[in-house]
Amino acid sequence: MNDQELLEKTLHVAREAGLFLLRKHGSVLPFGLTLDPAGDNPLTYFPRDHLPRASWDELLDATLAHLERRIDSGGIGAIALVTTLESGSESGMGVQVETRASSLFLVYPYTGTGQDRRLGEPQAAEGLLVGPLLAP
């Protein structure tokens, strides 16, 4: 799988997982996703499962630490960091995706409530939410 395909597949999986959480819980607390170099074996990490009382910052830090450990263990082709982002009255789902050769940070505005939540067209964000962690 070439780098562009890996980036697109990781983005798709991360976006769909985030949308599921958005519809179920009304927001997306920070979580991480890894795929192997072939674009297979997606593994997710939801720090809220282990840290139920943690703040958003603590969940983000735990997600970053987990992604760094996974990267250090080898065999990672792509990663994603996904979370709700808010600015004033606007909310969106931020998705940062990285491969070894590239990175992308998109914000998907969303509308609706509950199961009717819909993602709008993604907006490319300047820079990255964090990192880079994997991409050079």
Side-chain angles (χ1 to χ4, degrees):
M1 177 168 283
N2 70 39
D3 187 71
Q4 185 63 33
E5 292 169 329
L6 187 57
L7 189 76
E8 289 172 7
K9 183 171 185 177
T10 306
L11 177 61
H12 174 76
V13 173
R15 184 183 60 235
E16 292 303 309
L19 182 57
F20 172 79
L21 292 174
L22 183 62
R23 287 177 174 164
K24 184 175 180 180
H25 299 292
S27 69
V28 180
L29 294 174
F31 76 90
L33 169 78
T34 60
L35 274 76
D36 65 22
D40 296 326
N41 196 24
L43 297 175
T44 54
Y45 173 69
F46 300 99
R48 175 62 85 186
D49 294 346
H50 308 288
L51 305 166
R53 300 190 198 296
S55 69
W56 185 90
D57 287 336
E58 291 168 329
L59 294 172
L60 182 62
D61 289 345
T63 302
L64 295 173
H66 174 81
L67 289 172
E68 288 170 348
R69 284 192 302 276
R70 293 279 300 138
I71 291 165
D72 291 344
S73 72
I76 300 300
I79 65 168
L81 172 64
V82 185
T83 189
T84 293
L85 299 172
E86 296 178 350
S87 176
S89 64
E90 296 182 21
S91 296
M93 182 175 69
V95 181
Q96 177 177 322
V97 178
E98 296 182 41
T99 66
R100 297 236 176 245
S102 58
S103 60
L104 176 67
F105 179 34
L106 298 175
V107 177
Y108 292 85
Y110 52 79
T111 58
T113 59
Q115 289 295 319
D116 292 327
R117 291 229 190 233
R118 300 281 180 253
L119 297 178
E121 288 298 313
Q123 309 296 314
E126 294 286 325
L128 296 174
L129 177 61
V130 297
L133 301 174
L134 183 64

